[in-house]
Amino acid sequence: QVQLVESGGGLVQAGGSLRLSCVASGSIFSINAMGWHRQAPGKQRELVAVVNNGARGGSAVNVTDSVKGRFTISRDNAKNTVYLQMNNLKPEDTAVYYCNAVLMTRTVIDGGTMFRTADYWGQGTQVTVSP
């Protein structure tokens, strides 16, 4: 079993800042990518930012254009945690923010070991930005 637990959402005035955190726990063998999506009322869920494993042990960051220069994503591999620092928030950033991870689990069953890669989601945290 894998759990993603988000924290850090809330209500803030336009121009303010919030920092979201997401911790992954469970039978995790490796994490391929961790990131954030958001869904505003009446809109489709959209990617905000993601950190992918890059070549030769590095990482690759992808940030959607609408938040570039305002949001920063970072990942602490030792803690299986991803952060989203959100600065200069705007009312249009109001949404439920979901943590997402693509990771491999390792499970021992009947003396054997099973590895499985799947997509996991957190329960979501509300971010509301007032004008």
Side-chain angles (χ1 to χ4, degrees):
Q1 282 283 34
V2 172
Q3 279 192 318
L4 301 183
V5 178
E6 301 122 330
S7 61
L11 172 65
V12 65
Q13 286 188 329
S17 298
L18 285 173
R19 188 189 192 214
L20 305 183
S21 300
C22 172
V23 181
S25 62
S27 303
I28 300 170
F29 181 76
S30 64
I31 299 178
N32 298 344
M34 288 189 81
W36 296 91
H37 290 66
R38 67 185 180 185
Q39 188 166 20
K43 294 187 177 181
Q44 289 189 329
R45 190 174 297 191
E46 63 171 353
L47 172 69
V48 177
V50 62
V51 182
N52 293 288
N53 290 351
R56 300 173 186 173
S59 61
V61 174
N62 185 25
V63 179
T64 195
D65 287 344
S66 62
V67 306
K68 279 182 180 176
R70 301 188 297 121
F71 291 11
T72 302
I73 188 170
S74 59
R75 194 171 126 187
D76 186 333
N77 293 330
K79 296 181 179 179
N80 290 341
T81 301
V82 65
Y83 305 96
L84 186 68
Q85 178 65 44
M86 306 185 292
N87 298 328
N88 190 20
L89 282 159
K90 302 176 180 181
E92 51 264 42
D93 295 318
T94 295
V96 178
Y97 284 70
Y98 295 92
C99 178
N100 169 252
V102 178
L103 56 88
M104 179 182 291
T105 55
R106 176 181 179 272
T107 308
V108 176
I109 299 178
D110 296 331
T113 303
M114 182 175 73
F115 295 91
R116 178 174 176 267
T117 297
D119 208 0
Y120 295 88
W121 293 88
Q123 79 285 356
T125 184
Q126 177 70 46
V127 171
T128 302
V129 185
S130 62

